[in-house]
Amino acid sequence: MRTSDLLRAAAANTVRSKLRTTLTALALVVGAFTLTLTTALGAGVTDYVTRQVDSLGAQDVLVITAAPPTAAAGGDPVAYDPETSTPAAASANPLGGGSAALTDARLEQLEGIDGLAVVEPVTTAALDYVGVGAARYLVSIDPTSSIGRADLLAGAQLERDAAELQLVLPVGYVQALGLGDPAAAVGTVVDLGLTDVLGQPREVRARLVGLTNPSLLGGGAGANAALADELATVQAAGVDAPARYAAATARFDPDDAGALAAVKEEVAGLGMTAQTVEDQLGLLTTVISGITGVLSAFAVVALVAAAFGIVNTLLMSVQERTREIGLMKALGMSNGRVFGLFSLEAGFIGLLGGVVGVLAAVAVGTALSAALSAGPLADLGGLDVLLFRPGTAVAIVVLIMGVALLAGTLPARRAARQTPISALRYE
Amino acid sequence: MKTSPAAQGPPLLRARSLSRWYGSGADRFHALTDVSLDIHRGESVAVVGKSGSGKSTLMHLLALLDAPDQGSLLLEGADVATLDRRRLDAARNQRFGFVFQQFFLNPAQSVLENVVLPLTIAGVARPERHRRGMAVLEQLGMADKARNRATALSGGQKQRVVIARALVGEPDLIFADEPTGNLDSATGTVVEDELFALHRERGITLVVVTHDEDLAARCRRQVHVHDGRIVSDRLGDAA
Ligand SMILES: Nc1ncnc2c1ncn2[C@@H]1O[C@H](COP(=O)(O)OP(=O)(O)OP(=O)(O)O)[C@@H](O)[C@H]1O
Ligand SMILES: [Mg+2]
């Protein structure tokens, strides 16, 4: 029998008992539907988080903070040591917990560690406002924004080495400052107001180079190194107070995982914490993959149930078609082809269930995603809760066909092993 | 067409002391015991006997649908037991045509699709299948029913479809198990006429299982089976 004829026969047989095929495929539809949604959810959130990670810092950058005592290993209380312990302070980073300040002496210690390069303090300035003309609004600058990549809605990234004072702002400021639409706002020169250590109000002018999407992780503005330095200098007002930094950044070799671990350990030995941007988001991504994992497990349960449904349906079908099978074998159809016919029928049910399930999930998911973006999640621009990827959709259909084919082997074997006479004698 | 069987080489089929039993131990039932018989090309053989005597069992063995528990079967001189399954499948598919006790038509398929099943199994391309299927249906006066569902036919029409299916592969030998058992006598006679016409015109060998004496009498040779043994094997004068 030709493969094309076998395919046609398998399709015709599946379509023949419509109700039964539909019911069998339904369980697969549920599995495909759930799996598509959970993978899309995982992809959507991961994609968003990845962009946020990029906005927190480059991949080869360690953010070093003075380790807060309680955040050391496993949460065990840490004994006070006048040599290494630093006073704890509240952190602006919602993920980092408390942190203490770094001093120049500390930075020198870090410079001495092998594998760390370009140790730079993260200077922070307490801004009073950002303003254009009379419009003035509160603003804060993300400490690590100068080394990060912003999740941009319009404009360009901060230039790390530019002498020009550059600023990116969350897009929400555009309207507040009366700058029209985001594209037009890029390039505007804005005033940054601050109070120096002597209590005098001061202003620094910076050019707005980009506008960021509203963010889950840091809603602040970003300044390039030149602007951050300028702000710190203006704020210090020439007074030579001992410098205290919220954090320091340093470069490492991202391709050498062993070296990274060693560096982290060495930094920890000095009573400080070194974290990659991924570390900083570790908990968040763990939670997200945990949730999608549990949801996917439900989908897999549905698929297992569906597999038994297919076994059952096809066994019934083999039983019913005993005479048909017997006749085909009597007329010279080989065992292999009989096996192939029933396997293909299983595969066809799988294809049907998979395609319908995936399409339904994309349709429902797209509507849901749009509703969420317009409603509850409107504040998180750039977040597509559900991200459907064609590759994933194809993979899910293939997976479900695989499950169906696997489930089909038992009935197909039974069909292939029938002897023609027992089938021909069957009443 | 009268040919002397002895004049040709090895017989088409040669059965040597075939036995077939069912069950085991004390319950063992001997459906066929020590049956020997030759079937030559161009013969028409009737296998006759009472119900349960072992006619179908014998036919299934001769048609390579079943294997004997004892004895051997030669297909053109080659021991069937030594042939692999693919050769047996091919022999049934290309050399034999089957008319079973029941129609075995697939209700989901059209008459034409049912008829060309042996060709489909053989891997003949669709257009060629249809051409040959239509030619056979034409010959049996069923061409206008080709597109019908196989179930939407009378008993006689169904049996003609079954004969078309047996013929479409241009077999050397047709096995017919009670070909008229399901038909009223008038329709039965028509179907018999068709079978014997094919036998005469094309020299197709016929093996007909029946307990109908009239049908048996139309065959040149009658083999009587009783309790699993051949009790007589004689050449009569076929009509
Ligand atoms: N699978 C089987 N298991 C046990 N006994 C069987 C089996 N198949 C056939 N028999 C027995 O073998 C004997 C011969 O059966 P067979 O079908 O050859 O008879 P038959 O001559 O064709 O009868 P009929 O004219 O009714 O078709 C019967 O007694 C039957 O009960
Ligand atoms: Mg019988």
Side-chain angles (χ1 to χ4, degrees):
Chain A
M1 199 161 175
R2 294 179 169 226
T3 307
S4 60
D5 287 324
L6 210 59
L7 281 169
R8 195 176 300 125
N13 286 334
T14 342
V15 177
R16 185 154 96 194
S17 44
K18 288 186 190 61
L19 182 64
R20 188 195 291 171
T21 303
T22 310
L23 290 175
T24 312
L26 214 56
L28 288 174
V29 169
V30 172
F33 182 86
T34 319
L35 213 51
T36 309
L37 282 184
T38 53
T39 51
L41 180 68
V45 177
T46 307
D47 174 73
Y48 181 67
V49 169
T50 308
R51 276 185 284 143
Q52 299 299 320
V53 169
D54 286 345
S55 78
L56 288 186
Q59 302 304 310
D60 60 345
V61 168
L62 275 172
V63 176
I64 298 162
T65 50
T70 50
D76 285 336
V78 177
Y80 174 72
D81 176 353
E83 277 295 299
T84 60
S85 296
T86 44
S91 164
N93 185 348
L95 301 165
S99 75
L102 290 175
T103 59
D104 283 327
R106 289 284 176 161
L107 294 185
E108 265 165 50
Q109 285 180 319
L110 291 174
E111 296 273 15
I113 294 177
D114 267 352
L116 275 189
V118 209
V119 179
E120 277 171 357
V122 174
T123 50
T124 48
L127 286 184
D128 293 335
Y129 60 84
V130 59
V132 174
R136 289 175 172 185
Y137 288 89
L138 293 180
V139 72
S140 67
I141 287 181
D142 289 337
T144 56
S145 57
S146 63
I147 54 161
R149 288 179 53 79
D151 179 18
L152 287 179
L153 183 79
Q157 298 288 346
L158 295 168
E159 290 166 48
R160 201 172 282 171
D161 305 318
E164 185 191 31
L165 308 185
Q166 293 179 342
L167 181 76
V168 296
L169 279 177
V171 70
Y173 282 88
V174 171
Q175 214 172 1
L177 294 173
L179 296 177
D181 68 282
V186 172
T188 317
V189 174
V190 297
D191 302 323
L192 295 169
L194 67 165
T195 310
D196 68 22
V197 292
L198 303 175
Q200 296 302 308
R202 306 282 291 267
E203 265 193 0
V204 173
R205 316 201 85 200
R207 196 168 72 86
L208 183 59
V209 295
L211 293 160
T212 60
N213 282 310
S215 161
L216 188 63
L217 302 172
N224 69 346
L227 177 57
D229 282 349
E230 175 68 10
L231 290 173
T233 313
V234 170
Q235 193 146 48
V239 175
D240 202 8
R244 287 171 85 84
Y245 312 107
T249 60
R251 309 261 152 168
F252 67 97
D253 180 3
D255 300 325
D256 192 344
L260 176 61
V263 165
K264 281 183 179 176
E265 208 160 298
E266 210 167 330
V267 173
L270 294 171
M272 290 175 275
T273 309
Q275 287 186 309
T276 62
V277 282
E278 270 129 26
D279 293 341
Q280 292 182 305
L281 285 160
L283 185 64
L284 189 63
T285 47
T286 308
V287 169
I288 291 164
S289 52
I291 292 171
T292 50
V294 167
L295 292 176
S296 299
F298 284 126
V300 170
V301 169
L303 283 183
V304 170
F308 284 107
I310 291 173
V311 174
N312 188 36
T313 300
L314 283 178
L315 279 179
M316 273 165 59
S317 181
V318 169
Q319 181 78 16
E320 260 172 36
R321 286 153 62 194
T322 301
R323 307 164 117 238
E324 187 189 324
I325 298 164
L327 179 70
M328 289 191 299
K329 294 190 76 170
L331 298 187
M333 185 139 146
S334 69
N335 292 1
R337 290 274 141 173
V338 173
F339 182 89
L341 178 62
F342 279 85
S343 291
L344 281 175
E345 288 182 27
F348 193 76
I349 294 175
L351 180 68
L352 221 65
V355 168
V356 171
V358 167
L359 289 182
V362 171
V364 170
T366 307
L368 197 73
S369 201
L372 281 174
S373 297
L377 300 178
D379 291 345
L380 297 175
L383 169 61
D384 290 316
V385 191
L386 298 171
L387 188 64
F388 296 103
R389 295 210 167 100
T392 315
V394 171
I396 288 172
V397 173
V398 169
L399 171 81
I400 282 171
M401 281 183 72
V403 168
L405 281 173
L406 196 69
T409 50
L410 181 72
R413 261 169 57 116
R414 180 164 292 189
R417 287 182 167 191
Q418 269 180 11
T419 61
I421 0 181
S422 64
L424 293 173
R425 284 190 189 274
Y426 177 87
E427 294 295 329
Chain B
M1 190 172 89
K2 289 249 168 148
T3 48
S4 164
Q8 301 167 348
L12 192 52
L13 283 169
R14 162 166 286 177
R16 284 199 298 220
S17 337
L18 291 184
S19 292
R20 181 78 172 97
W21 50 73
Y22 297 105
S24 58
D27 295 334
R28 176 175 288 181
F29 176 79
H30 291 259
L32 218 57
T33 312
D34 198 22
V35 167
S36 297
L37 129 126
D38 288 356
I39 291 170
H40 296 272
R41 267 181 212 80
E43 271 196 305
S44 58
V45 183
V47 179
V48 214
K50 284 195 300 234
S51 184
S53 56
K55 305 184 296 292
S56 295
T57 306
L58 175 59
M59 190 199 95
H60 291 153
L61 289 176
L62 293 176
L64 313 179
L65 290 167
D66 196 7
D69 292 303
Q70 235 166 42
S72 59
L73 184 73
L74 308 182
L75 173 64
E76 290 182 323
D79 189 343
V80 165
T82 65
L83 299 179
D84 64 12
R85 202 188 321 229
R86 197 186 316 176
R87 290 278 302 278
L88 297 182
D89 284 341
R92 286 202 308 277
N93 183 251
Q94 276 144 40
R95 315 275 319 261
F96 298 169
F98 291 95
V99 177
F100 295 105
Q101 226 162 336
Q102 291 112 330
F103 300 123
F104 291 119
L105 294 173
N106 188 333
Q109 292 182 334
S110 70
V111 165
L112 183 61
E113 284 170 313
N114 269 287
V115 167
V116 300
L117 181 61
L119 301 182
T120 311
I121 289 171
V124 175
R126 229 156 109 92
E128 168 77 359
R129 267 188 344 238
H130 280 202
R131 197 184 58 68
R132 286 169 67 177
M134 286 310 295
V136 175
L137 282 172
E138 198 104 32
Q139 190 185 334
L140 293 171
M142 292 284 294
D144 55 329
K145 303 285 186 193
R147 305 271 150 217
N148 282 32
R149 293 277 120 190
T151 38
L153 296 175
S154 73
Q157 288 172 328
K158 280 183 187 168
Q159 195 66 312
R160 238 173 276 162
V161 171
V162 169
I163 290 173
R165 183 175 66 197
L167 276 180
V168 77
E170 293 173 356
D172 304 333
L173 198 166
I174 288 181
F175 289 100
D177 195 349
E178 312 275 7
T180 56
N182 279 324
L183 305 176
D184 62 75
S185 58
T187 321
T189 310
V190 174
V191 168
E192 281 171 30
D193 290 344
E194 273 156 8
L195 275 177
F196 283 98
L198 290 164
H199 166 63
R200 277 195 310 273
E201 288 157 19
R202 301 204 196 167
I204 294 177
T205 312
L206 269 187
V207 175
V208 183
V209 171
T210 183
H211 52 235
D212 175 354
E213 291 295 339
D214 292 338
L215 173 55
R218 294 184 71 169
C219 296
R220 210 172 104 78
R221 178 175 165 203
Q222 286 93 29
V223 175
H224 282 260
V225 180
H226 183 74
D227 283 348
R229 293 174 187 274
I230 292 183
V231 291
S232 82
D233 182 349
R234 60 164 182 267
L235 289 175
D237 246 339

